[in-house]
């Protein structure tokens, strides 16, 4: 019976493979998780891979906004993330979330910057006693 | 009349007593016996009868004196009793006055204590009512505060949502946020 690999080891291996351009590792990883019945760890594993990539200078950022971000703005956001994380490369995943009302929310493996109207409204709601 | 008889008796004595007494219709012996009987009667009365009456009278007098004395003593006793009654009445009046005064004092003290107690109780009730009112006011204020926040949040969401619905404004907002974060 194969030794159970730690999630951290799997993430490190997958990150290295991705950095080497071997995207097939993702399918292998998915198959492995299904085989060893660890599919519940997918989200955590993805997060660990992102952390491993970030440690290697590749930052995966989630950008959420109420409307589609223009290319210019996207460039500005990437520049900001690059500067803030000292990353060599920034990969962006954009998502439209109308509940944010306005503004933008940027999430990296290590940080989150929330400049949405929703955040301000939540802060306003937090003033309740 | 008396002088006449004396004269006649004197004459008879000088002329012969028997004759004179006879002329007067008086028997000498009878007179003698009557005299003796009289003396005996006087003696008997003086010896046995009069002392009894005198004793009775003395006893009666003593009884009367005793009665008078008793009456006098009774009067004195009555006077004394009257004085004692008056003294007792005065003492009773004084005691009654003292009792009434004490009762008034105690009643006043009880009334004062009751007033103080009632004041303290009313003060406590008022304080408790004020606390309740303050608490209710605080609750109402809190509710109002939260309601206002909900209202402001909802209104802001609608207004701001409408404003930032214009893409330029949202873009400007994001740009400003990114620039602000970069600084």
């Amino acid at each position: 019976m194969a030794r159970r690999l730690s999630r951290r080891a799997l993430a490190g291996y997958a990150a290295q493979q991705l950095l080497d351009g071997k995207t097939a590792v993702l399918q292998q990883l998915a198959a492995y998780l299904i085989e060893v019945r660890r599919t519940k760890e997918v989200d955590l594993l993805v997060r660990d891979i992102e952390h491993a990539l970030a440690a290697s200078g590749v930052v995966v950022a989630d950008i959420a906004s109420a409307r589609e971000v223009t290319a210019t703005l996207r460039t500005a956001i990437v520049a900001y993330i690059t500067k803030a994380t000292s990353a060599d490369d920034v990969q962006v995943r954009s998502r439209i979330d109308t509940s944010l009302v306005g503004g933008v929310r940027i999430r990296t493996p290590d940080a989150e910057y929330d400049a949405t109207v929703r955040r301000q409204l939540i802060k306003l709601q937090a003033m309740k006693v | 009349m008396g002088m006449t008889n004396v004269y006649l008796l004197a004459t008879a004595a000088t002329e012969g007593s028997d004759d004179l007494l006879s002329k007067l219709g008086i028997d000498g012996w009878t007179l003698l016996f009557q005299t003796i009987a009289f003396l005996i009667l006087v003696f008997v009365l003086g010896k046995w009868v009069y002392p009894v009456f005198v004793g009775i009278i003395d006893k009666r007098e003593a009884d009367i004196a005793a009665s008078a004395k008793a009456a006098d003593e009774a009067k004195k006793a009555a006077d004394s009793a009257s004085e004692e009654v008056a003294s007792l009445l005065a003492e009773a009046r004084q005691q009654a006055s003292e009792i009434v005064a004490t009762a008034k004092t105690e009643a006043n003290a009880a009334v004062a204590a009751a007033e103080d107690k009632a004041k303290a109780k009313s003060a406590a009730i008022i304080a408790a009512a004020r606390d309740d009112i303050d608490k209710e006011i605080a609750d109402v204020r809190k509710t109002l505060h939260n309601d206002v926040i909900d209202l402001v949040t909802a209104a802001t969401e609608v207004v701001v949502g409408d404003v930032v619905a214009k893409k330029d404004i949202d873009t400007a907002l994001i740009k400003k946020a990114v620039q602000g974060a970069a600084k």
Side-chain angles (χ1 to χ4, degrees):
Chain A
M1 187 175 179
R3 184 168 59 92
R4 187 180 189 278
L5 295 173
S6 70
R7 197 174 67 229
R8 187 167 183 170
L10 288 172
Y13 172 75
Q16 189 57 50
Q17 291 295 307
L18 289 172
L19 289 173
D20 293 341
K22 299 174 182 176
T23 56
V25 71
L26 296 177
Q27 293 180 347
Q28 295 170 2
L29 197 59
Y32 172 76
L33 291 177
I34 292 170
E35 185 179 350
V36 297
R37 298 180 180 178
R38 292 171 62 181
T39 53
K40 291 181 180 176
E41 298 180 29
V42 168
D43 291 338
L44 296 174
L45 185 58
V46 169
R47 192 190 65 183
D48 287 346
I49 291 171
E50 288 177 355
H51 272 98
L53 289 172
S56 300
V58 178
V59 173
V60 179
D62 288 312
I63 299 175
S65 59
R67 288 158 205 86
E68 194 169 351
V69 179
T70 63
T72 308
L73 197 55
R74 184 186 178 93
T75 304
I77 291 171
V78 169
Y80 160 69
I81 295 170
T82 302
K83 184 179 178 183
T85 60
S86 302
D88 298 327
D89 184 21
V90 175
Q91 298 293 321
V92 173
R93 284 192 300 241
S94 296
R95 185 166 63 92
I96 304 298
D97 184 356
T98 54
S99 68
L100 298 178
V101 183
V104 67
R105 183 178 63 207
I106 303 168
R107 278 181 181 159
T108 64
D110 295 324
E112 176 178 312
Y113 176 60
D114 194 341
T116 61
V117 175
R118 172 60 55 197
R119 171 71 175 169
Q120 299 301 320
L121 293 175
I122 290 172
K123 285 173 70 176
L124 184 61
Q125 283 283 331
M127 291 174 66
K128 280 185 178 180
V129 291
Chain B
M1 185 71 180
M3 288 297 291
T4 305
N5 290 333
V6 171
Y7 175 75
L8 289 174
L9 285 172
T11 303
T14 55
E15 289 181 356
S17 301
D18 294 334
D19 294 335
L20 180 60
L21 293 174
S22 299
K23 290 178 181 175
L24 291 173
I26 298 171
D27 185 14
W29 288 105
T30 301
L31 180 60
L32 180 63
F33 285 135
Q34 285 180 342
T35 304
I36 292 169
F38 177 74
L39 292 174
I40 289 169
L41 179 62
V42 169
F43 177 75
V44 169
L45 289 174
K47 186 68 176 181
W48 288 288
V49 177
Y50 287 154
V52 172
F53 286 107
V54 169
I56 291 170
I57 290 168
D58 289 343
K59 187 173 180 295
R60 181 71 174 169
E61 187 179 1
D63 290 342
I64 290 169
S67 297
K69 187 178 180 183
D72 192 29
E73 289 177 354
K75 187 181 178 185
K76 287 180 180 177
D79 293 341
S80 175
S82 179
E83 289 176 0
E84 189 174 355
V85 166
S87 174
L88 287 172
L89 280 174
E91 187 178 354
R93 286 195 185 98
Q94 186 178 355
Q95 287 181 355
S97 298
E98 290 175 356
I99 289 169
V100 169
T102 304
K104 282 183 178 177
T105 304
E106 290 178 353
N108 290 332
V111 169
E115 285 180 354
D116 291 342
K117 194 174 179 181
K119 284 179 181 175
K121 195 170 183 180
S122 62
I125 290 171
I126 291 170
R130 282 181 179 165
D131 288 343
D132 289 342
I133 291 169
D134 291 343
K135 194 175 178 183
E136 287 181 6
I137 289 173
D139 289 342
V140 169
R141 281 181 176 165
K142 190 185 293 182
T143 304
L144 184 63
H145 175 82
N146 293 338
D147 289 345
V148 168
I149 286 177
D150 284 338
L151 192 63
V152 169
T153 303
T156 303
E157 186 172 352
V158 171
V159 173
V160 174
D162 290 341
V163 171
V164 298
K166 298 175 182 175
K167 196 171 182 178
D168 294 342
I169 294 178
D170 194 16
T171 301
L173 187 66
I174 295 171
K175 190 175 181 181
K176 186 178 178 183
V178 172
Q179 288 174 348
K183 288 181 181 176

